[in-house]
Amino acid sequence: MEGMPYASFMSFATKSLSCSSLSPSSIINPRQKSQKSTLKSVSPRKLVIRASSASSSGSVVTLLDYGAGNVRSLRNAIHYLGFEIEDVQTPKDILNAERLIFPGVGAFASAMDVLLKTGMDEALRTYIKNDRPFLGICLGLQLLFEYSEENGPVNGLGLIPGVVGRFNSSNGFRVPHIGWNALQIAKDSEILEDVGDQHVYFVHSYRAIPSDNNTEWISSTCNYGDDFIASIRRGNVHGVQFHPEKSGDVGLSILRRFLQPNSRGTKKPTQGKASKLAKRVIACLDVRTNDKGDLVVTKGDQYDVRENTKEKEVRNLGKPVELAGQYYKDGADEVSFLNITGFRDFPLGDLPMLQVLRHASENVFVPLTVGGGIRDFTDANGRYYSSLEVASEYFRSGADKISIGSDAVYAAEEYLKTKVKTGKSSLEQISRVYGNQAVVVSIDPRRVYLKSPGDVEFKTIRVTKPGPNGEEYAWYQCTVNGGREGRPIGAYELAKAVGELGAGEILLNCIDCDGQGKGFDIDLIKLISDAVSIPVIASSGAGAVEHFSEVFTKSNASAALAAGIFHRKEVPIQSVKGHLLKEGIEVRI
Ligand code: 1PR
């Protein structure tokens, strides 16, 4: 939601798109992408859904994408459902639309600025007042209200009485609100039919506040610290705070009901159970090129991904696109790709990785995170690429979030030394443009045992299990370049610093536990998840379903990530979720 002004974004976007030294296939405007794509994988499910929609009339939807961010996922979902997209170019296109989707991205103020400058504000007001079919998503819902406190107050379209305000993090709720909640249905909404107690995916720091003046609009609410408006409906006008395009099958069916009204049944919406934020289960794919030059999913033991054989070949656990699609079907709440050799290979030169991302995102309708190699880079021809360009290319290729490893360590070290936020680090730049909810910092710490807590200047903890020489204390040293180099900064110090620099989430690995299957490092995860107010993803060491319930009951982790047990098919994702439910921990099923 937090973003840079539209004008500066567009000047950046234009520069980046016209940059001649990037290969044409690596610079694909989402609007051109479908023609450029070479790999076409069509799932059987896709065929069924397309067949039904192709026979219906009105298979074109108009999209108001004002260019301020990443709507690639929504385009993918609309195409997956068999619909074509017409982009709004002028206010007249809004007035002539048969069905309009407005996916708000970026910040409230800059979005309103664009609408006012282009005259689209008036067109939208007229379209909505005439009760024409409309679906606003996230900021596209918020802009309908009177005003927002985001960098404001800033006036909105004023169609719905009420205010958009920031979540209050002082009562222990992590902001941004990232993850899956079930809705409290307030009234018949047509598009939410039979959503019931199934979860949908939210990612936002601001929310529309319910009041007596807007009750008639509210079709569902949700609770995160306090009640907020999750969806509105009046006549043909709908708005949702959550992201249907990232809410799995439930989200696709919500979108389909809007796109294809005849598909609506007559079922009354069912009331969902009270829902807190569900704990997320994430499948992670470490990806790299093997010695034959194929991009494979690999998995290390304490970050060593080579087989224990004479040839020492890179461990190959499958194909990235297939596995990502499989984990989506198996119920993963998110899928992460980590390009683990990105620190030495330039990701924009790594076209197979970008292609993997493009194709995975066509069939995965839960959030997709991509990391590896996000940093400033100068190529052999002397051409400079900013980390923002690298991240933008990941976003254009289908990422919903990007993850920064090594570069975040350098930025945090610098920030702690100077106490100055320069605004120039990759972390700051990317979160300014795409919002902090789109920026994950991946930490690769190594446990260093100590005899006494005063032995280092970094935060130390008393460990639950003593070290090999009976040490009772440890600190967690951050590393860069895939664990190859230790740095003079602790995981605790890094986590706090990157939170201040604009990270929206922390992916907390642990080199000691990686691939060991003996459980997460609870000491570490507790330390970090208690220290920051952004969500923390626990990673490394999952070997059994009990390890997931342990990390959620003993720490404040918002999500748990695993790799090896899923790749080796030792523990299915649904068994993890079944176990968590049995233990009374809310999950999306
Ligand atoms: O530094 O910005 O280029 O990012 C590189 C990214 O690649 C970082 O996120 C870093 O964590 C990751 N990475 C680099 N080298 C390795 C390696 O394994 N040799 N993978 C690596 C990190 C850790 C997790 C793993 C969990 C769960 N892998 O991603 O999936 O530990 O595994 P498990 O469930 O099997 O225990 P940059």
Side-chain angles (χ1 to χ4, degrees):
M1 311 261 295
E2 298 81 8
M4 76 197 286
Y6 175 71
S8 21
F9 176 85
M10 283 315 280
S11 88
F12 158 73
T14 316
K15 257 188 246 154
S16 130
L17 287 171
S18 62
C19 155
S20 57
S21 51
L22 281 179
S23 94
S25 58
S26 71
I27 307 254
I28 292 178
N29 180 326
R31 291 173 196 179
Q32 303 160 344
K33 187 255 132 208
S34 54
Q35 297 120 46
K36 296 235 175 191
S37 181
T38 46
L39 279 167
K40 266 263 169 268
S41 61
V42 180
S43 73
R45 202 168 76 185
K46 193 171 181 174
L47 286 172
V48 171
I49 292 173
R50 284 203 165 156
S52 65
S53 57
S55 62
S56 70
S57 62
S59 60
V60 177
V61 63
T62 305
L63 191 70
L64 174 47
D65 170 9
Y66 50 89
N70 176 26
V71 297
R72 164 85 184 224
S73 297
L74 181 62
R75 290 176 183 277
N76 281 341
I78 293 170
H79 285 141
Y80 181 90
L81 292 170
F83 286 77
E84 293 304 322
I85 296 171
E86 252 168 31
D87 282 289
V88 169
Q89 311 287 350
T90 67
K92 227 168 138 191
D93 299 332
I94 294 179
L95 298 171
N96 291 337
E98 276 189 33
R99 217 147 265 286
L100 180 68
I101 299 188
F102 182 23
V105 281
F108 193 100
S110 44
M112 266 318 286
D113 212 34
V114 177
L115 297 181
L116 289 166
K117 280 187 181 140
T118 54
M120 291 193 191
D121 61 323
E122 266 319 310
L124 271 174
R125 282 194 192 93
T126 306
Y127 184 87
I128 289 170
K129 280 182 185 157
N130 288 342
D131 194 29
R132 305 284 302 132
F134 174 87
L135 175 63
I137 298 176
C138 195
L139 188 64
L141 158 77
Q142 296 179 7
L143 287 162
L144 304 182
F145 284 80
E146 284 172 302
Y147 69 92
S148 170
E149 290 166 1
E150 186 177 0
N151 307 121
V154 177
N155 284 335
L157 291 168
L159 291 159
I160 305 179
V163 184
V164 174
R166 193 177 158 83
F167 280 115
N168 182 359
S169 60
S170 60
N171 48 6
F173 285 86
R174 287 162 200 271
V175 181
H177 169 222
I178 298 181
W180 301 78
N181 282 78
L183 305 175
Q184 290 294 300
I185 305 287
K187 70 170 183 194
D188 185 352
S189 153
E190 291 185 272
I191 64 168
L192 299 183
E193 270 174 24
D194 64 22
V195 167
D197 54 7
Q198 298 180 85
H199 291 72
V200 289
Y201 182 74
F202 291 88
V203 48
H204 56 139
S205 300
Y206 291 80
R207 83 291 190 223
I209 300 166
S211 74
D212 289 347
N213 293 334
N214 54 37
T215 312
E216 60 155 326
W217 283 87
I218 300 174
S219 55
S220 71
T221 58
C222 206
N223 189 283
Y224 188 65
D226 49 23
D227 285 344
F228 68 90
I229 297 175
S231 65
I232 59 102
R233 187 250 167 130
R234 193 156 87 177
N236 290 310
V237 176
H238 301 268
V240 291
Q241 177 59 63
F242 53 89
H243 287 265
E245 75 280 14
K246 289 280 111 183
S247 296
D249 283 348
V250 175
L252 289 176
S253 83
I254 292 170
L255 268 181
R256 192 174 48 233
R257 284 205 181 92
F258 173 73
L259 292 168
Q260 200 179 10
N262 346 355
S263 72
R264 289 173 191 158
T266 51
K267 256 173 123 177
K268 282 260 167 265
T270 43
Q271 183 63 261
K273 284 190 219 122
S275 160
K276 290 190 292 201
L277 186 63
K279 297 291 185 183
R280 286 172 279 154
V281 176
I282 300 176
C284 182
L285 297 98
D286 289 355
V287 176
R288 63 160 287 170
T289 310
N290 67 11
D291 302 323
K292 292 187 204 125
D294 302 324
L295 204 63
V296 298
V297 174
T298 189
K299 183 70 224 29
D301 280 329
Q302 300 183 324
Y303 284 32
D304 180 359
V305 298
R306 294 203 172 258
E307 296 281 12
N308 206 5
T309 56
K310 206 162 79 212
E311 291 75 24
K312 293 253 170 241
E313 64 272 29
V314 171
R315 194 168 292 137
N316 180 348
L317 293 173
K319 296 186 179 161
V321 177
E322 275 174 24
L323 274 183
Q326 188 57 52
Y327 294 144
Y328 166 63
K329 286 190 197 137
D330 292 347
D333 297 317
E334 276 179 49
V335 175
S336 292
F337 281 114
L338 295 176
N339 184 359
I340 66 170
T341 49
F343 70 90
R344 60 166 182 245
D345 309 325
F346 179 46
L348 296 193
D350 196 352
L351 293 181
M353 182 65 206
L354 294 173
Q355 234 173 12
V356 158
L357 193 48
R358 286 181 200 125
H359 293 289
S361 66
E362 284 169 9
N363 292 292
V364 172
F365 298 104
V366 292
L368 209 49
T369 303
V370 181
I374 296 178
R375 66 188 191 289
D376 296 349
F377 184 85
T378 303
D379 71 11
N381 302 321
R383 158 75 166 97
Y384 167 80
Y385 299 87
S386 72
S387 52
L388 184 56
E389 282 174 87
V390 180
S392 297
E393 191 52 31
Y394 274 157
F395 284 122
R396 276 195 289 273
S397 300
D400 298 294
K401 305 189 241 184
I402 55 89
S403 151
I404 310 175
S406 308
D407 212 49
V409 178
Y410 302 127
E413 284 178 19
E414 187 62 20
Y415 174 55
L416 291 176
K417 202 161 62 191
T418 61
K419 307 271 181 271
V420 176
K421 291 185 198 170
T422 61
K424 290 185 181 150
S425 66
S426 52
L427 185 48
E428 291 163 284
Q429 290 190 46
I430 299 165
S431 61
R432 194 163 55 244
V433 174
Y434 290 97
N436 59 357
Q437 77 289 338
V439 182
V440 182
V441 165
S442 164
I443 313 184
D444 299 314
R446 193 187 289 286
R447 196 185 312 126
V448 183
Y449 287 107
L450 299 168
K451 287 238 157 59
S452 92
D455 288 354
V456 286
E457 59 185 291
F458 308 105
K459 178 85 173 174
T460 56
I461 55 154
R462 195 180 192 122
V463 286
T464 319
K465 283 185 214 135
N469 301 309
E471 299 93 336
E472 288 185 11
Y473 298 91
W475 72 290
Y476 288 91
Q477 181 184 24
C478 290
T479 65
V480 292
N481 300 346
R484 286 168 182 78
E485 183 191 335
R487 297 295 304 178
I489 183 169
Y492 175 88
E493 290 77 16
L494 180 91
K496 287 185 95 66
V498 296
E500 289 174 34
L501 290 172
E505 203 169 16
I506 286 173
L507 163 54
L508 185 57
N509 302 297
C510 178
I511 296 179
D512 308 80
C513 297
D514 175 58
Q516 303 306 294
K518 293 184 185 148
F520 298 95
D521 187 328
I522 303 293
D523 290 342
L524 168 66
I525 294 156
K526 209 171 142 22
L527 173 73
I528 304 302
S529 61
D530 288 347
V532 295
S533 60
I534 53 178
V536 172
I537 302 166
S539 165
S540 305
V545 293
E546 292 76 15
H547 295 148
F548 290 84
S549 48
E550 182 186 30
V551 77
F552 289 135
T553 48
K554 293 190 178 165
S555 81
N556 285 313
S558 301
L561 172 152
I565 50 165
F566 297 149
H567 303 335
R568 295 188 299 269
K569 304 193 184 343
E570 289 163 7
V571 179
I573 293 170
Q574 282 310 323
S575 304
V576 174
K577 292 198 165 180
H579 169 76
L580 290 173
L581 272 182
K582 216 170 76 211
E583 295 297 307
I585 297 168
E586 182 175 339
V587 288
R588 172 184 82 110
I589 37 170

